[in-house]
Amino acid sequence: NRATLSTAYAYNGYSAAYEGCANARVQFNFNPPYDSYNAFKYQISGTAINGVDYQHIPDSIIVPIGATSASVNIVPIADNLTEGSETMVISLVDACTQQPYTQASITINDTQHVSISAGKLQLCANESTVLTATGTVSYSWTPAAGLSTTNTAQTTATPSGTQTYVVTGTTGACVSTASVTLEQRNMLV
């Protein structure tokens, strides 16, 4: 029997795991199921280091009799280092040829923190500016007054006076906030 591999992330719509925020898993699929107890040895590679960038995983998995699948959880470690995206790869190797016949790759991104940029910080009466949040997967803006939307990365702000806007950014289990104050000035000509 040969196994196939697939990947899954902890949150729907995610295409990466995030340090300290969102995990992933590699699933081993068996068809037909094994009729005897089996241990699958696999190779671990990639730019992410086992036990350093993600919690240590062994180089084999035990497959119980009758199982159609088994999985290995990939839990990224929040190390507070800016490393950029890293990958971890699990490859299954043919026992006869010693060549990989299938593999699964997990992308691990750094811990995410939200930040804001504003087109302008000082506005005239009835003037608008674009606020842009970056750094996380989803966003929520408050207060809603004067904003075109409250649940997107970019919104247009038209405050009725000086106003501080707060954005809450979420990536998996990690939440961060940032704020920006827009000052309305009465300019006389």
Side-chain angles (χ1 to χ4, degrees), residues 163-183:
Q163 179 68 57
T164 298
Y165 290 104
V166 176
V167 65
T168 301
T170 304
T171 300
C174 294
V175 177
S176 62
T177 60
S179 64
V180 63
T181 299
L182 301 180
E183 185 179 348

Side-chain angles (χ1 to χ4, degrees), residues 87-100:
T87 59
M88 72 81 55
V89 179
I90 288 182
S91 302
L92 295 179
V93 177
D94 183 284
C96 295
T97 66
Q98 296 301 307
Q99 296 298 311

Side-chain angles (χ1 to χ4, degrees), residues 33-177:
Y34 278 93
D35 55 6
S36 63
Y37 174 84
N38 217 335
F40 254 97
K41 191 162 179 64
Y42 50 84
Q43 291 178 346
I44 303 167
S45 61
T47 57
I49 300 169
N50 190 7
V52 174
D53 293 307
Y54 53 94
Q55 290 179 2
H56 184 268
I57 61 171
D59 65 354
S60 62
I61 190 168
I62 305 300
V63 181
I65 296 171
T68 58
S69 67
S71 61
V72 174
N73 290 321
I74 309 303
V75 181
I77 297 170
D79 56 17
N80 297 315
L81 299 174
T82 302
E83 304 161 300
S85 293
E86 298 175 288
T87 59
M88 72 81 55
V89 179
I90 288 182
S91 302
L92 295 179
V93 177
D94 183 284
C96 295
T97 66
Q98 296 301 307
Q99 296 298 311
Y101 67 87
T102 190
Q103 68 181 23
S105 179
I106 299 284
T107 300
I108 300 173
N109 290 330
D110 293 332
T111 301
Q112 305 289 289
H113 301 284
V114 70
S115 62
I116 299 175
S117 64
K120 291 174 73 174
L121 295 175
Q122 296 180 344
L123 305 171
C124 293
N126 300 317
E127 189 177 11
S128 298
T129 190
V130 174
L131 303 178
T132 304
T134 57
T136 59
V137 175
S138 64
Y139 305 93
S140 177
W141 296 86
T142 57
L147 296 178
S148 61
T149 63
T150 59
N151 61 352
T152 58
Q154 192 172 79
T155 187
T156 300
T158 311
S160 59
T162 297
Q163 179 68 57
T164 298
Y165 290 104
V166 176
V167 65
T168 301
T170 304
T171 300
C174 294
V175 177
S176 62
T177 60

